[in-house]
């Protein structure tokens, strides 16, 4: 008749009656027993106090010392009525537990108690739940897996798989992948129980330079989440009337139909929506998002129905914020320093002007709403990350051609770096990936063009393997080429300390390329103009009785860099 957890509460109620030497088990004993079970108490609090479990605990009877005697106890008439109502809720007349059909669970007990006039009067005059309210709560608890640790375990497992898959395909943006994972966990962990929420399930803002993986990450995330996906290129909504395409035209217009946005969400309420380069959209289009981000609703002008965005995941991308990523060291945001406050990013967006109109690219109203979500700044890609992108592009082209022509295709390990260097300093991930994929196809075409059409089929059949190498080994070319492909250069360390300590470090570690500074201005100038692999900051510098630098050296540098304390051995060497 009862699940294990519900049986435990009923047995505790019997113990309460025995401890009080009562002749029967009544509602007070059951309530005192329920106060000892946290999940059951929380469910009853949801029924009566809107989730205020502390208030409910003050109203529940105080449990007595449990009795160890095993005696049969007769339930009171009021208790029998509550148990009967709970059994009805657990049967086909209510919402049965799918894992234990027909058995009374703590959910059914909580709803039956909350519907009892005697219980509500005893706890302070609450209004009893009616049958529709009971059914709604039970459906919510069971359908959404409330209180089920397995649901949380499944969520963690899915996000762990998501993180692994994204980190293997999006290079140089590990912090963005982890921030996306955290945001998805935050929104999905409480979204099921937050029935009052109207805003979309999650809102992300991907900001950063072009071609660093913002759009790519959004597309991959939608694939891993197995949700419907739609990308809207906001450069096509720069006109003052273009917003109408998103919400549809009235049915009186010739050829009218549902909006591209509202129609898609109406059919796919759990969609992932990507609004690419949102700063290019006209202000009238941007204003549509005020309603979506505030109340999760938007009316389709064709169907005249209000479309609910409550379960959608919305991602905006923007190339704005150049003041942060164009010169990250001077802006105080090193490549490895990503734990900055969201207001840093939102402030940069709010102050950036649209070159076409001279107006702010992001009005303060949209910045305020985006601040409720998860703003993420993507890092510019370095040579190492672009080399990984080129390698992934070559592998993709290699796989496609192998499956199409059944020829084994391989390439030299140094080829991806050579392709990156061929593109030059202004290349981004999008360009490098496209060029890498075209390179293998182009080389295959170059081989085929060596033969006349009538001889090509025979020549093509005579080889099984195609290897793409370099004309000569880089080490044989000498000079700058050998440096690029050869051993990595000396590690470049910026040491901010007094001159004596800097001289000691140079003497003790000559294999390191030392950059030294004694003030924050010197240090920041070096960071902005030269390669620095590691920053070492001597905290003794400002406390040795010497004149302080013009500003707080420690605070200024710590805002933009990782702090790595000097070892005691190095400090001792400096004192010597």
């Amino acid at each position: 008749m009862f699940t294990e957890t519900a049986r435990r509460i009923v047995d505790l109620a019997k113990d309460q009656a025995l401890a009080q030497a009562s002749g029967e088990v009544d509602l007070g004993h059951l309530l005192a027993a329920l106060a000892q079970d946290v999940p059951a108490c929380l469910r009853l609090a949801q029924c009566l106090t809107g989730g205020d479990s502390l208030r409910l605990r003050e109203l529940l009877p105080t449990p007595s010392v449990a009795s160890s005697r095993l005696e049969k106890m007769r339930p009171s008439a009021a208790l029998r009525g509550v148990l009967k109502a709970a059994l009805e809720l657990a049967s086909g007349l209510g919402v049965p537990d799918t894992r234990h059909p027909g058995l009374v669970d703590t959910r059914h007990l909580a709803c039956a108690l909350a519907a009892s006039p005697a219980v509500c009067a005893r706890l302070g005059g609450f209004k009893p739940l009616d049958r529709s309210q009971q059914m709604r709560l039970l459906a919510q608890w069971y359908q959404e897996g409330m209180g089920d640790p397995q649901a949380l375990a499944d969520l963690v497992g899915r996000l762990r798989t998501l993180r692994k898959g994204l980190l293997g395909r999006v290079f140089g943006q590990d912090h963005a992948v982890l921030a996306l994972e955290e945001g998805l966990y935050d929104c999905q962990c409480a979204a099921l129980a937050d029935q009052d929420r109207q805003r979309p399930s999650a809102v992300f803002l991907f900001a950063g330079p072009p071609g660093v993986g913002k759009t790519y990450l959004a597309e991959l995330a939608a694939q891993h989440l197995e949700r419907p996906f739609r990308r809207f290129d906001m450069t096509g909504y720069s006109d003052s009337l273009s917003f109408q395409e998103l919400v549809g035209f009235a049915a009186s217009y010739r050829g009218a139909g549902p909006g591209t946005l509202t129609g898609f969400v109406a059919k796919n309420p759990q969609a992932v929506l990507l609004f690419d380069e949102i700063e290019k959209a006209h202000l009238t289009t941007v204003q549509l998002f005020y309603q979506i981000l505030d109340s999760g609703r938007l009316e389709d002008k064709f169907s005249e129905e209000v479309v609910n965005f409550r379960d959608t995941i919305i991602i905006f991308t923007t190339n704005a914020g150049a003041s942060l990523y164009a010169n990250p060291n001077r802006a105080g945001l090193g490549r490895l320093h990503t734990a900055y406050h969201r207001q840093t990013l939102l402030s940069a967006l709010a102050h950036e002007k649209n070159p076409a109109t001279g107006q702010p690219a992001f009005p303060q109203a949209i910045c305020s709403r985006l601040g409720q979500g998860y703003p993420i700044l993507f890092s510019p890609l370095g040579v190492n990350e672009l080399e990984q992108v080129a390698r992934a592009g070559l592998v993709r082209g290699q796989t496609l051609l192998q499956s199409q022509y059944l020829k084994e295709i391989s390439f030299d390990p140094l080829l991806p770096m050579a392709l990156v260097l061929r593109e030059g300093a202004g290349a981004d991930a999008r360009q490098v990936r496209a060029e890498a994929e075209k390179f293998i196809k182009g080389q295959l075409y170059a081989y085929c063009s060596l033969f006349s059409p009538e001889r090509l089929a025979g020549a093509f059949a005579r080889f099984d393997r195609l290897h793409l190498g370099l004309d000569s080994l880089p080490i044989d070319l000498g000079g700058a080429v050998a440096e690029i492909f050869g051993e990595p250069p000396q590690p470049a360390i910026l040491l901010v300390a007094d001159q004596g300590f800097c001289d000691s470090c140079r003497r003790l570690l000559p294999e390191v390329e030392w950059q030294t500074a004694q003030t924050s201005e010197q240090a920041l100038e070096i960071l902005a103009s030269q390669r620095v692999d590691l920053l070492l900051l001597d905290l003794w510098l400002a406390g040795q009785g010497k004149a302080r630098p013009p500003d707080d050296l420690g605070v200024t540098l710590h805002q933009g860099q990782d702090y790595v304390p000097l070892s005691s051995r190095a400090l001792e060497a400096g004192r010597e």
Side-chain angles (χ1 to χ4, degrees):
M1 181 179 179
F2 297 100
T3 64
E4 182 179 351
T5 53
R7 168 60 63 186
R8 184 172 63 251
I9 293 176
V10 173
D11 290 341
L12 285 173
K14 294 179 180 178
D15 290 342
Q16 297 298 309
L18 289 170
Q20 298 175 12
S22 175
E24 61 183 9
V25 185
D26 62 14
L27 291 175
H29 300 133
L30 183 60
L31 291 172
L34 186 136
Q36 302 178 60
D37 186 273
V38 174
C41 188
L42 288 173
R43 291 189 177 102
L44 185 59
Q46 278 196 302
C47 295
L48 297 178
T49 64
D52 189 349
S53 60
L54 295 179
R55 179 188 173 194
L56 179 64
R57 285 190 178 279
E58 294 176 354
L59 301 174
L60 291 174
T62 302
S64 304
V65 178
S67 171
S68 59
R69 294 177 295 168
L70 298 177
E71 298 183 14
K72 290 185 178 181
M73 299 292 296
R74 183 178 69 256
S76 65
L79 179 57
R80 286 198 301 271
V82 167
L83 295 179
K84 180 180 178 182
L87 183 59
E88 291 178 354
L89 291 174
S91 67
L93 300 176
V95 182
D97 185 341
T98 55
R99 291 178 299 178
H100 309 288
L103 297 183
V104 175
D105 190 14
T106 53
R107 300 169 176 86
H108 305 117
L109 277 178
C111 283
L113 286 168
S116 169
V119 170
C120 292
R122 184 181 186 120
L123 295 179
F126 290 104
K127 182 180 179 181
L129 296 184
D130 57 30
R131 178 52 67 94
S132 63
Q133 292 172 316
Q134 292 175 292
M135 301 286 279
R136 180 180 61 81
L137 280 170
L138 286 171
Q140 172 188 326
W141 289 338
Y142 281 115
Q143 291 177 5
E144 298 172 351
M146 181 179 177
D148 185 2
Q150 187 58 42
L152 185 61
D154 292 343
L155 173 60
V156 172
R158 291 197 305 271
L159 293 180
R160 184 175 297 165
T161 303
L162 169 73
R163 177 184 60 195
K164 182 178 179 181
L166 295 181
L167 288 176
R169 299 180 65 180
V170 180
F171 306 115
Q173 309 296 348
D174 291 7
H175 67 283
V177 172
L178 296 178
L180 175 65
E181 177 193 15
E182 180 182 351
L184 292 173
Y185 173 80
D186 290 346
C187 69
Q188 295 188 48
C189 184
L192 299 179
D194 187 5
Q195 294 300 304
D196 297 328
R197 176 182 56 82
Q198 295 180 326
R199 296 193 299 269
S201 177
V203 177
F204 295 92
L205 173 64
F206 293 172
V212 294
K214 302 186 297 293
T215 302
Y216 187 53
L217 177 59
E219 294 172 348
L220 289 179
Q223 292 178 15
H224 281 274
L225 293 172
E226 297 181 348
R227 288 188 174 214
F229 175 76
R230 183 71 179 267
R231 174 178 176 263
F232 296 89
D233 187 350
M234 302 313 291
T235 58
Y237 299 90
S238 57
D239 183 79
S240 61
L241 298 178
S242 55
F243 75 94
Q244 294 176 320
E245 182 182 341
L246 295 174
V247 297
F249 293 87
S252 57
Y253 284 83
R254 178 180 298 177
T260 55
L261 173 59
T262 51
F264 181 75
V265 175
K267 296 179 180 178
N268 306 280
Q270 293 188 326
V272 176
L273 304 173
L274 172 62
F275 299 97
D276 221 358
E277 297 188 87
I278 182 63
E279 76 276 9
K280 304 289 182 63
H282 194 274
L283 181 60
T284 55
T285 301
V286 173
Q287 288 173 344
L288 290 178
F289 297 107
Y290 297 169
Q291 185 177 352
I292 295 175
L293 298 179
D294 281 341
S295 60
R297 292 168 172 266
L298 196 62
E299 182 183 3
D300 186 283
K301 301 303 180 182
F302 177 76
S303 64
E304 298 183 350
E305 295 180 357
V306 175
V307 179
N308 195 326
F309 286 72
R310 184 181 186 276
D311 296 323
T312 60
I313 295 175
I314 297 179
I315 301 175
F316 299 97
T317 73
T318 178
N319 297 329
S323 60
L324 294 179
Y325 62 75
N327 194 341
N329 284 337
R330 191 173 291 280
L333 295 175
R335 284 178 55 81
L336 298 180
H337 184 74
T338 58
Y340 56 89
H341 198 277
R342 66 181 60 194
Q343 290 302 328
T344 304
L345 174 56
L346 296 175
S347 176
L349 297 179
H351 287 87
E352 185 155 330
K353 303 293 185 181
N354 187 325
T357 63
Q359 300 298 316
F362 282 83
Q364 186 59 43
I366 193 67
C367 286
S368 174
R369 289 164 172 83
L370 292 175
Q372 301 177 41
Y374 302 90
I376 303 172
L377 179 63
F378 281 57
S379 301
L381 296 183
V383 174
N384 291 334
E385 290 79 24
L386 291 175
E387 191 269 345
Q388 290 178 288
V389 172
R391 187 176 301 278
L394 287 172
V395 169
R396 185 173 186 275
Q398 173 192 44
T399 303
L400 291 174
L401 293 180
Q402 285 182 160
S403 62
Q404 183 173 2
Y405 298 109
L406 300 179
K407 303 293 183 181
E408 184 178 300
I409 300 176
S410 60
F411 56 85
D412 192 284
L414 296 178
L415 181 57
M417 179 61 75
L419 290 175
V420 172
L421 297 178
R422 188 182 72 170
E423 290 303 306
D428 58 35
R430 188 180 293 111
Q431 297 168 347
V432 169
R433 181 184 295 109
E435 288 302 314
E437 292 182 11
K438 289 191 295 185
F439 180 80
I440 288 188
K441 301 172 188 175
Q443 294 303 304
L444 181 60
Y445 173 75
Y447 171 80
C448 294
S449 63
L450 297 175
F451 303 91
S452 60
E454 58 272 10
R455 296 182 57 193
L456 177 59
F460 201 77
R462 284 197 293 270
F463 78 91
D464 295 323
R465 297 177 180 84
L466 177 65
H467 179 75
L468 304 178
L470 303 177
D471 291 338
S472 58
L473 292 178
I475 197 66
D476 298 332
L477 299 177
V481 177
E483 290 183 11
I484 292 174
F485 287 96
E487 294 296 325
Q490 289 181 319
I493 298 180
L494 171 59
L495 176 59
V496 185
D498 62 66
Q499 191 61 52
F501 185 44
C502 293
D503 294 340
S504 298
C505 290
R506 280 199 178 96
R507 186 180 67 255
L508 294 172
L509 296 172
E511 64 274 15
V512 173
E513 179 185 336
W514 291 100
Q515 302 287 347
T516 60
Q518 283 72 54
T519 67
S520 61
E521 287 85 356
Q522 296 173 357
L524 291 174
E525 185 63 32
I526 293 173
L527 286 170
S529 60
Q530 301 185 40
R531 178 180 66 88
V532 173
D533 299 318
L534 179 66
L535 168 65
L536 297 179
L537 173 61
D538 186 357
L539 298 181
W540 291 64
L541 184 61
Q544 295 178 335
K546 301 180 180 180
R548 289 183 63 86
D551 53 17
D552 190 334
L553 180 66
V555 173
T556 301
L557 292 179
H558 180 68
Q559 288 177 348
Q561 304 295 330
D562 292 339
Y563 168 60
V564 181
L566 295 174
S567 67
S568 58
R569 179 179 178 183
L571 286 173
E572 290 298 329
R575 295 192 188 105
E576 293 175 1

